[in-house]
Amino acid sequence: MPKLVLPVGVEAIATRVDGSIKIVLSTYELNTHSAVKLFDLRKTEALMYLSSESISQEELDTLDAFKISGDNNDGKTPSQRLRSVLYVYWKQHKQKDIEFDIFYLRYMNRMIDKIKDKLE
């Protein structure tokens, strides 16, 4: 995935019905190379790092540590992999009495509660 570092302005932030957040960013006029890289990212999942200060190469290298490599992961984040595995589990155990989204929320809440119980 191409890396692209751009100075941007945050124009708007809005919450959505599904709980996600929409962020509208604007850039200065871009050179052709940067514009092409930006358009290549359209409709793909990307990692975004926002900072009010300039980003050092060391910070960019640290961001690479968050990427998952290897043939078995298909570039998915750990949370995407967990959701996919839970979906397969849900299908295999024929839990059709509830929709997957509800199963997923219940399962995740149980896991969160188990971990919270272990906190001091």
Side-chain angles (χ1 to χ4, degrees), residues 45-95:
E45 192 167 301
L47 177 65
M48 183 174 73
Y49 179 90
L50 289 175
S51 176
S52 59
E53 302 169 3
S54 63
I55 300 171
S56 69
Q57 185 60 46
E58 182 180 333
E59 288 174 303
L60 287 174
D61 293 342
T62 301
L63 293 176
D64 283 337
F66 288 104
K67 292 182 182 175
I68 298 174
S69 59
D71 296 335
N72 296 334
N73 299 329
D74 296 327
K76 293 180 179 178
T77 65
S79 60
Q80 290 169 327
R81 290 178 57 216
L82 176 59
R83 187 176 178 92
S84 297
V85 169
L86 287 174
Y87 180 77
V88 172
Y89 178 83
W90 174 78
K91 282 189 75 163
Q92 288 178 352
H93 289 83
K94 302 292 182 190
Q95 297 189 10

Side-chain angles (χ1 to χ4, degrees), residues 7-73:
V8 298
V10 178
E11 287 190 6
I13 300 173
T15 57
R16 293 186 161 182
V17 174
D18 66 357
S20 63
I21 298 174
K22 177 181 178 180
I23 304 170
V24 178
L25 305 171
S26 64
T27 69
Y28 298 108
E29 186 174 348
L30 299 177
N31 62 39
T32 304
H33 178 71
S34 293
V36 168
K37 285 176 80 172
L38 182 60
F39 278 100
D40 284 345
L41 292 172
R42 185 177 32 191
K43 295 189 180 183
T44 64
E45 192 167 301
L47 177 65
M48 183 174 73
Y49 179 90
L50 289 175
S51 176
S52 59
E53 302 169 3
S54 63
I55 300 171
S56 69
Q57 185 60 46
E58 182 180 333
E59 288 174 303
L60 287 174
D61 293 342
T62 301
L63 293 176
D64 283 337
F66 288 104
K67 292 182 182 175
I68 298 174
S69 59
D71 296 335
N72 296 334
N73 299 329

